[in-house]
């Protein structure tokens, strides 16, 4: 063996049932994600867009006035990748950039009407899939799912994500 696999530390000895349980979760996450993004993927293809466009449009729509730096922090992608995707969204009229009011070096991002419509259409599809799943669960199951997903986030990023998810409100500069 060579490369990163050869250098990886040996896996901790675990109970086979525990190992299988982890594989079950891993595989269910793969399949759930595959289906969660499949509906939007079909629509995005009509626009010549991909998942990166979807993520940018989603967060710009959820947080109008977001700065490039804030979006980079949320998505954790390179500036070059973001610039390529953002350029397409701007050129095709889905996102507009405005100069910051307090800091004219900032570029604030806002969805256009067309961008908001697409973002909401994609969210509705995904929301419907989530609603169908939640309808099959008790409220305790729903809360457990939220706790589980939150626990999957890196511990040092949880406060940041909590503010994004639960604290999204009006942004300055609108």
């Amino acid at each position: 063996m060579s490369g990163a696999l050869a250098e990886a530390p040996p896996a901790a000895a675990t109970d086979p049932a525990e190992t299988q349980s982890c594989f079950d979760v891993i595989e269910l996450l793969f399949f759930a994600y595959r289906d969660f993004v499949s509906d939007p993927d079909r629509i995005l293809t009509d626009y010549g867009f991909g998942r990166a466009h979807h993520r940018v449009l989603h967060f710009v729509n959820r947080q109008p006035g977001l700065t490039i730096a804030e979006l980079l922090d949320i998505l954790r992608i390179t500036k070059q990748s973001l610039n390529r995707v953002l350029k397409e969204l701007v050129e095709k009229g889905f996102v507009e950039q405005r100069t910051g009011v307090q800091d004219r070096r900032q570029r604030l991002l806002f969805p256009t009407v067309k961008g908001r419509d697409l973002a909401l259409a994609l969210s509705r599809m995904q929301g419907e899939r989530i609603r169908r799943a939640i309808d099959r669960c008790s409220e305790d199951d729903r809360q457990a799912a939220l706790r589980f997903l939150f626990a999957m986030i890196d511990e040092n990023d949880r406060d940041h994500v909590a503010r994004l998810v639960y604290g999204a409100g009006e942004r300055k500069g609108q």
Side-chain angles (χ1 to χ4, degrees), residues 35 43 71 79 103 108 120 138 143 159:
D35 292 349
I43 290 176
L71 189 54
K79 196 171 188 176
D103 183 348
L108 306 179
L120 292 175
S138 69
Q143 292 301 319
D159 288 342

Side-chain angles (χ1 to χ4, degrees), residues 135-149:
D135 285 349
R136 300 181 68 170
C137 298
S138 69
E139 180 58 25
D140 288 344
D141 292 341
R142 180 185 175 285
Q143 292 301 319
L146 291 173
R147 284 191 306 274
F148 171 78
L149 290 171

